Amino acid sequence: MSFTVFTDGSSNLPGGLLQELEIQVLPCHYVLDGQPGVFLGDIDAFDTHGYYDKLRGGSVLKTSLLNTHLFLDAFRPELEAGRDVVYVGMSSGISGTIQAARIAAEELAEDFPERTVRIVDSLGAGFGTGLLTCRAADLRNEGKTAGEAADILDEEAMHLLQYFTVDDLNFLKRTGRVSGASAAIGTVLNIKPLLWGDATGHIVACGKYRGRKKVMEAIVEMYRTRAIHPENQRVAITHGDCPQEAEQLAQLVREICPPKELIVCPHEPFTGAHVGPGMLALFFFGQRRDTL
């Protein structure tokens, strides 16, 4: 193995895929209703239904950044064993975790000048980060070095497209994505936003639709018009405890062009608190973000 692939729990990956691709996951810590919790990274092993039920009931969750010491403790043993490291993390547009990882990489470069530590900004979140992490493992298995793989990933991050909607605008209001007035009006009028990760890795609105059916159709239209060779891709759908709608979205995707692999799973808890129950997202590779 030429290098070790790292990500963290916010990448939303199922345990089977983590094992198959030999991906190392750093835990994400949070506080729910004053009680500390940790998400170890396997979405299959997490009680997502219970988690989103608590959010429905008004529970308050606070997340914390992964700190530099966590990265140092995780990366150092790999470097000591003669392995390079590639870490794929959540967008710098919505989190400071990437910066903490970069600080760790700079420190380790002084101690291990002969080794390579590369930090890849996915410009994404959830399974967007997860898809790029899987690509890192694929490139490693194809024989690429850490440096070669990271260079490819930096380019492919611009092709990583992620579109999603939410059911309750009040969760976006809490994080400042929409104003209180917009959230109230949108709720009354059943307005559902279409959001995406732009070229800078920030989450922005790109449309408003009346009702879930219309916004789901809009998400699928983005896949139809912007995906590039999905038949050769992993494509992912995640949901905030709305599995039936996620399967409906999956069926629409298959009708347009079945991807090589389509993964449907709950959305991870670390960013799930910011989008809330009923969130529905589609992740795939397509046209460059800065050309859309």
Side-chain angles (χ1 to χ4, degrees):
M1 185 183 298
S2 61
F3 61 89
T4 301
V5 177
F6 280 92
T7 188
D8 59 66
S10 69
S11 63
N12 215 132
L13 294 170
L17 199 56
L18 291 170
Q19 293 180 6
E20 175 189 344
L21 296 179
E22 298 182 88
I23 295 168
Q24 300 295 317
V25 185
L26 301 178
C28 290
H29 294 268
Y30 59 87
V31 177
L32 181 63
D33 289 336
Q35 297 298 315
V38 58
F39 177 53
L40 299 176
D42 178 357
I43 192 62
D44 291 338
F46 189 77
D47 179 14
T48 50
H49 175 67
Y51 172 81
Y52 282 106
D53 255 0
K54 289 182 179 179
L55 294 184
R56 288 188 186 97
S59 290
V60 177
L61 182 136
K62 296 181 180 179
T63 59
S64 57
L65 298 177
L66 279 70
N67 61 54
T68 297
H69 291 294
L70 182 64
F71 290 110
L72 290 171
D73 291 344
F75 295 168
R76 189 178 295 277
E78 299 300 315
L79 302 175
E80 291 175 342
R83 291 184 288 270
D84 295 332
V85 166
V86 172
Y87 167 76
V88 183
M90 187 192 305
S91 171
S92 58
I94 58 177
S95 172
T97 293
I98 281 288
Q99 183 58 27
R102 287 172 175 159
I103 292 171
E106 291 174 1
E107 182 173 330
L108 291 168
E110 298 178 2
D111 297 337
F112 301 91
E114 75 287 359
R115 300 257 58 91
T116 298
V117 180
R118 290 289 297 271
I119 308 302
V120 177
D121 184 350
S122 72
L123 299 175
F127 223 122
T129 304
L131 285 182
L132 206 65
T133 303
C134 291
R135 279 291 294 141
D138 290 339
L139 291 167
R140 178 197 60 204
N141 295 341
E142 291 170 10
K144 297 289 191 293
T145 66
E148 291 169 339
D151 287 343
I152 293 171
L153 295 170
D154 285 339
E155 169 60 23
E156 291 192 355
M158 291 303 296
H159 291 269
L160 174 63
L161 301 181
Q162 44 203 344
Y163 294 94
F164 69 97
T165 190
V166 299
D167 194 44
D168 186 345
L169 287 167
N170 287 305
F171 284 92
L172 290 177
K173 182 189 73 173
R174 293 172 193 168
T175 57
R177 299 299 179 190
V178 298
S179 69
S182 295
I185 293 171
T187 300
V188 171
L189 298 179
N190 195 28
I191 299 297
K192 305 302 180 185
L194 176 61
L195 303 110
W196 81 305
D198 69 10
T200 64
H202 292 84
I203 301 302
V204 297
C206 58
K208 298 178 182 179
Y209 299 86
R210 183 69 65 85
R212 292 280 280 188
K213 181 179 179 182
K214 292 293 185 181
V215 75
M216 285 175 63
E217 291 172 350
I219 292 174
V220 173
E221 181 65 9
M222 296 301 179
Y223 175 76
R224 186 185 71 81
T225 59
R226 297 179 176 178
I228 297 177
H229 296 302
E231 68 276 8
N232 298 325
Q233 292 190 38
R234 287 185 190 91
V235 171
I237 292 170
T238 64
H239 62 90
D241 198 33
C242 51
Q244 292 183 336
E245 288 182 314
E247 287 299 335
Q248 291 172 14
L249 182 58
Q251 184 56 38
L252 293 172
V253 165
R254 294 186 187 102
E255 290 172 0
I256 292 173
C257 182
K260 180 179 179 180
E261 182 178 0
L262 180 58
I263 302 167
V264 181
C265 65
H267 190 71
E268 47 81 18
F270 199 66
T271 61
H274 304 288
V275 291
M279 173 269 193
L280 194 59
L282 177 63
F283 306 89
F284 59 92
F285 289 96
Q287 300 171 31
R288 282 184 62 95
R289 301 191 210 191
D290 53 3
T291 63
L292 299 176

